[in-house]
Amino acid sequence: MSTPDPFDPFGVITSMNGWCCLLGAARELGDIDAEMMDTLLEANEPGPASLSSEAVAKVRNLVRLMRSLDLDPDAIRLREPGAMRTLEAACLGCTERNHCTRELRAGTAAGTYRGFCPNAERLDGLREA
């Protein structure tokens, strides 16, 4: 059994440090979510009421495709937020969602995305980086 810290006999400081770390992580996740929502709203003007399930599905497909290409969308969003906004905007304008969904479900998207994805060159650039 360890001896208590003489300056923190009840472990309050240790507990507070843990809470601060958790709050910091929650704040970062909130910022990521807020940035993604801003991107979706900008690409789908005039406002939140017009955000469709189709738009959400397209962005989900982008995330799934990126993961199938061994790209980490969260890391890219943090490292290169402008690049992620560009990828999302291109997805929102894409007319190949059904094709993309089929390829993702079949597990073949990583080998075929260049034939239908408007983000193919951007994704290839991120893979090479």
Side-chain angles (χ1 to χ4, degrees):
M1 184 169 207
S2 65
T3 59
D5 182 340
F7 299 106
D8 187 22
F10 301 106
V12 173
I13 294 173
T14 303
S15 296
M16 293 300 290
N17 284 339
W19 275 106
C20 288
C21 289
L22 288 173
L23 288 173
R27 193 172 302 118
E28 284 184 41
L29 289 172
D31 291 343
I32 291 169
D33 288 344
E35 185 176 336
M36 183 172 195
M37 184 56 72
D38 289 344
T39 301
L40 289 171
L41 294 176
E42 285 172 13
N44 197 38
E45 292 294 334
S50 65
L51 190 60
S52 68
S53 59
E54 170 100 6
V56 173
K58 287 179 177 183
V59 173
R60 282 189 183 137
N61 277 0
L62 171 63
V63 169
R64 289 176 60 203
L65 177 58
M66 291 177 78
R67 288 189 176 132
S68 76
L69 298 171
D70 295 323
L71 293 170
D72 182 349
D74 298 323
I76 292 169
R77 184 179 308 286
L78 289 173
R79 190 179 66 239
E80 300 178 54
M84 197 63 186
R85 281 192 296 272
T86 301
L87 290 166
E88 290 168 343
C91 267
L92 291 173
C94 180
T95 60
E96 297 291 330
R97 182 176 73 94
N98 291 333
H99 188 175
C100 184
T101 301
R102 280 192 309 274
E103 296 291 335
L104 287 164
R105 284 185 183 149
T108 57
T112 61
Y113 73 98
R114 288 180 189 94
F116 63 86
C117 183
N119 278 317
E121 288 184 29
R122 292 180 197 94
L123 292 170
D124 287 343
L126 289 169
R127 291 176 81 189
E128 294 169 3

